[in-house]
Amino acid sequence: MSIQISQLTKRYTRYASGWHRILKWLGFQPRPASVHTVIEDISFSLPGGQALALVGQNGAGKSTLLKMIAGTLPPTYGTVAFQGRVAAILELSLGFHPEFTGRENALHALKMLGLPQPESLLQDVRTFSELGDFFEQPLRTYSSGMQMRLAFSAVTAVRPDILIIDEALSVGDSYFQHKSFDRIRQFKQQGTTLLFVSHDKSAVLELCDRALLIDQGRLAMDGDPADVMDYYNALVAQKEDHALIEHASDNQTRSGSKEVTIDRVQLLDRNLQPVEQISVGQAVTLRLKLSAHQTTPDITIGLLIKNRVGHDVFGTNTFHLGHPLNLQPGKSQHIDFAFPANLGPGSYSVTVAVHRHASHLHGNIDWFDRALVFEVHNTHHPEFIGTAWLPTTTSIPKL
């Protein structure tokens, strides 16, 4: 059930004419007109039972890498070795025929997966997909979401040793996405190795033990999902604005063009004293000290609170709060965000940012992940679970 990838490379060669291509087939070595490298020398191993996410921008090579691992695309160089039965959804259609019914396409998919007695699994596929009478209708009558339901239900009708998914679950309705992720979680608990491409940060953080960042066909980062997603976020901003990415201590990622820098971040109590431990619902202030190195009109300051596994809990910025800032070079400026910490008990981190407009993706000046870490304790509220404290009352209305 493990996967071993060694020096995987995929290149596409374009020749000056069709005759050169024929000569290549005959064993000669004509000079190519151009060579396009999609994947370059990627190696990693994935032990059985682990979940690995591949993240990266569109065109980075993630889908090509998955196709080579699944065996549907031969590599130019390198090897793929794995143990166990593989089930993969690499394209939404899964090789379905538009004139065949859902039942016929599902049966074909089950046979392609090499499953014994595939006819006996059709009712399970129909039940899980919840397609109803559409199961007996031609695929051409299906929406993209319905096709995803059919493909996922067929591929996961029997728990595979290795499950490979390429963003198919981003299509369709939220209800079936929740249902699909529940099945994936069950498979993982039962020992299935998961390899999937997703831009859904919540799914990556919840399901995955590890993440790989693919950038321009190369392995840019391999590590904890929260760290990789933070670095990916910075990489996107860098490409938008040619800003620098730097690494600080404690797995912090920092990026930006640095016309303004964040010099200090503090969490303060109601007496404006620094604190690292607070109570549920306590009034606190997040204070940032900024330094401007050139004139920066209409900049935005933002904060993002994450829980210990990197899920976004709350974020806002001065753009959305209607409070634009203008800083003059050579001067320092403080800005305070005051709020009640209606958070559940646990550990939280704060990411802070300086950028232009509503988002750091367009004008990243200084993005600072994990600038601050603090703990929340429940000292005086009734016991509750979750990451949010919602003051609740109960009553028994008369009928």
Side-chain angles (χ1 to χ4, degrees), residues 110-156:
L110 294 170
K111 289 180 178 179
M112 291 293 291
L113 290 169
L115 296 173
Q117 300 180 325
E119 292 84 359
S120 66
L121 300 172
L122 287 174
Q123 186 56 46
D124 291 338
V125 173
R126 178 172 183 163
T127 300
F128 190 85
S129 66
E130 300 185 39
L131 289 172
D133 292 340
F134 276 99
F135 195 64
E136 310 297 341
Q137 299 299 317
L139 192 78
R140 57 180 166 77
T141 65
Y142 285 27
S143 66
S144 59
M146 293 167 68
Q147 290 184 47
M148 189 275 284
R149 285 180 175 234
L150 182 64
F152 183 85
S153 301
V155 164
T156 62

Side-chain angles (χ1 to χ4, degrees), residues 253-312:
T253 301
R254 196 163 185 174
S255 64
S257 53
K258 302 299 174 64
E259 294 100 315
V260 177
T261 54
I262 302 169
D263 297 333
R264 187 171 65 217
V265 182
Q266 294 177 298
L267 189 66
L268 309 176
D269 62 16
R270 64 174 62 251
N271 298 316
L272 299 183
Q273 296 300 308
V275 289
E276 295 180 357
Q277 311 273 336
I278 63 174
S279 300
V280 173
Q282 178 177 338
V284 295
T285 297
L286 184 73
R287 173 168 291 178
L288 281 63
K289 180 183 178 183
L290 311 172
S291 292
H293 307 292
Q294 65 183 63
T295 302
T296 51
D298 296 328
I299 62 170
T300 298
I301 316 297
L303 69 92
L304 175 62
I305 299 174
K306 303 179 184 181
N307 65 11
R308 64 179 180 82
V309 295
H311 286 289
D312 296 346

Side-chain angles (χ1 to χ4, degrees), residues 174-327:
S174 298
Y175 164 75
F176 195 78
Q177 289 178 12
H178 280 265
K179 187 175 181 178
S180 300
F181 279 116
D182 283 341
R183 174 168 278 192
I184 291 173
R185 278 189 289 268
Q186 293 173 9
F187 283 175
K188 183 185 175 187
Q189 292 170 358
Q190 295 166 2
T192 292
T193 302
L194 175 64
L195 179 61
F196 83 120
V197 168
S198 178
H199 288 103
D200 185 341
K201 181 180 178 180
S202 296
V204 170
L205 295 177
E206 181 179 352
L207 290 175
C208 294
D209 310 292
R210 182 173 152 213
L212 303 184
L213 174 60
I214 308 298
D215 184 46
Q216 297 181 355
R218 293 180 175 272
L219 180 58
M221 188 175 183
D222 178 351
D224 178 80
D227 295 339
V228 172
M229 294 304 294
D230 284 343
Y231 189 79
Y232 169 60
N233 197 44
L235 190 66
V236 172
Q238 177 199 37
K239 290 190 174 182
E240 289 285 347
D241 294 289
H242 308 289
L244 297 175
I245 298 177
E246 60 187 64
H247 290 281
S249 59
D250 301 324
N251 295 319
Q252 294 170 320
T253 301
R254 196 163 185 174
S255 64
S257 53
K258 302 299 174 64
E259 294 100 315
V260 177
T261 54
I262 302 169
D263 297 333
R264 187 171 65 217
V265 182
Q266 294 177 298
L267 189 66
L268 309 176
D269 62 16
R270 64 174 62 251
N271 298 316
L272 299 183
Q273 296 300 308
V275 289
E276 295 180 357
Q277 311 273 336
I278 63 174
S279 300
V280 173
Q282 178 177 338
V284 295
T285 297
L286 184 73
R287 173 168 291 178
L288 281 63
K289 180 183 178 183
L290 311 172
S291 292
H293 307 292
Q294 65 183 63
T295 302
T296 51
D298 296 328
I299 62 170
T300 298
I301 316 297
L303 69 92
L304 175 62
I305 299 174
K306 303 179 184 181
N307 65 11
R308 64 179 180 82
V309 295
H311 286 289
D312 296 346
V313 174
F314 175 77
T316 189
N317 62 44
T318 55
F319 181 92
H320 297 302
L321 296 173
H323 191 175
L325 295 179
N326 299 300
L327 298 184

